[in-house]
Amino acid sequence: PFQITARASMSCPAKARVLLVDDDPVVSSGPCEDGAPSFALVIVSSRDEGLERLEKEGPFAVIVASDRLPGDSGEELLGEVAERYPETSRVMLTAQGHLESAVGQVNRGSLFRFLTKPCEPALFWQALRDAAEQYRLRLAERDLLRSTVQGVVEVLVEVMAINNPAAFGRSRRVQ
């Protein structure tokens, strides 16, 4: 496997923004090499640094976290990300293969994928593409729901205006 040098951040022509949280980031391929998909990849080495980047630079389409972080677990970090940033796709990367923890998170909906180190390049990049697509779909669904609700409210207000013009002025303010 190819080791990513521990720089604070690396950017490629962005299709999706990815946050990698690992104190020893080992992935299958360099982020901008020929044949690898283009992602804006930010690499940090701790939970706190990851959460800080999420708050300052978010949203990220995907967060990839090691299951073992200095003073914390990736499981706790990904659980917190699930609460704060529900649209962000979450991937756990582990050298340990703690299946019980991963299965529990996947079943609770906290994880999109679980990958083990060393990870085959094709598998790693496909997981990121799939996670980024899941993020895109979540955003599209949220936007569709929002516009649908707004449309329904507008129709209800118009129906009220026709049936009860006196209530119309009040319903416009509520809208």
Side-chain angles (χ1 to χ4, degrees):
F2 182 87
Q3 273 211 353
I4 293 178
T5 57
R7 291 189 284 179
S9 69
M10 295 182 212
S11 293
C12 306
K15 287 187 180 176
R17 298 184 61 219
V18 177
L19 178 63
L20 175 62
V21 184
D22 195 337
D23 62 332
D24 183 24
V26 177
V27 294
S28 303
S29 181
C32 295
E33 290 182 356
D34 290 339
S38 296
F39 292 99
L41 183 63
V42 175
I43 303 169
V44 298
S45 60
S46 72
R47 170 193 179 275
D48 292 340
E49 197 177 357
L51 289 173
E52 181 179 322
R53 287 291 186 98
L54 278 165
E55 286 186 28
K56 289 183 179 179
E57 300 173 23
F60 284 86
V62 182
I63 180 170
V64 180
S66 174
D67 67 332
R68 300 283 181 226
L69 298 171
D72 200 359
S73 75
E75 180 179 349
E76 291 172 7
L77 169 62
L78 293 174
E80 193 167 342
V81 170
E83 289 176 19
R84 290 186 185 184
Y85 308 95
E87 288 90 10
T88 297
S89 295
R90 296 160 303 276
V91 177
M92 181 178 282
L93 187 61
T94 182
Q96 313 299 328
H98 293 117
L99 292 179
E100 288 179 20
S101 144
V103 167
Q105 281 205 35
V106 170
N107 289 338
R108 285 190 304 275
S110 296
L111 283 182
F112 178 73
R113 292 275 166 85
F114 177 76
L115 303 173
T116 57
K117 296 179 190 176
C119 187
E120 292 296 320
L123 178 63
F124 181 79
W125 295 116
Q126 186 61 50
L128 290 187
R129 280 191 297 275
D130 293 346
E133 178 64 11
Q134 180 69 19
Y135 174 77
R136 187 192 68 73
L137 291 171
R138 283 184 182 137
L139 292 182
E141 180 181 41
R142 182 191 68 193
D143 292 344
L144 179 62
L145 181 60
R146 182 177 292 141
S147 64
T148 301
V149 168
Q150 287 173 342
V152 167
V153 169
E154 288 174 10
V155 167
L156 288 174
V157 167
E158 295 301 321
V159 167
M160 287 177 66
I162 293 169
N163 287 332
N164 188 349
F168 176 69
R170 197 165 121 199
S171 64
R172 272 289 184 208
R173 286 190 303 275
V174 171
Q175 180 187 11

